[in-house]
Amino acid sequence: MPQEGRTIATDWNIIPAGSEVMINGNIYIVEDRGGAIKGNVIDVFVGTEAESIERGVYYTEVYIKEPGKSLKTFSL
């Protein structure tokens, strides 16, 4: 079950399932792929559709935690 503040959807060819990702200081886990998520796009799960519309679309640096390595910068 997706959880607000934890679950994100990505293109698993870019950021695989189970990856830990830091966005704006918050850690999220890739748990969904979403039908419209292609390429360098991340969908952050929020509680309601109204909240997702309110938050809108924004661009930021994303850090991917790789096992045994430091965080890797990934810009979206």
Side-chain angles (χ1 to χ4, degrees), residues 3 5-10 15-23 26-32 43:
Q3 290 185 7
R6 183 190 82 186
T7 302
I8 58 175
T10 67
I15 305 174
S19 296
E20 292 183 15
V21 177
M22 185 169 65
I23 303 170
N26 299 306
I27 300 293
Y28 298 92
I29 301 171
V30 177
E31 297 181 317
D32 191 10
D43 186 9

Side-chain angles (χ1 to χ4, degrees), residues 9-52:
T10 67
D11 180 338
W12 289 3
N13 293 314
I14 307 294
I15 305 174
S19 296
E20 292 183 15
V21 177
M22 185 169 65
I23 303 170
N24 297 333
N26 299 306
I27 300 293
Y28 298 92
I29 301 171
V30 177
E31 297 181 317
D32 191 10
R33 67 175 75 208
I37 307 301
K38 303 289 184 222
N40 292 349
V41 175
I42 292 177
D43 186 9
V44 177
F45 179 79
V46 295
T48 66
E49 182 178 355
E51 187 177 353
S52 71

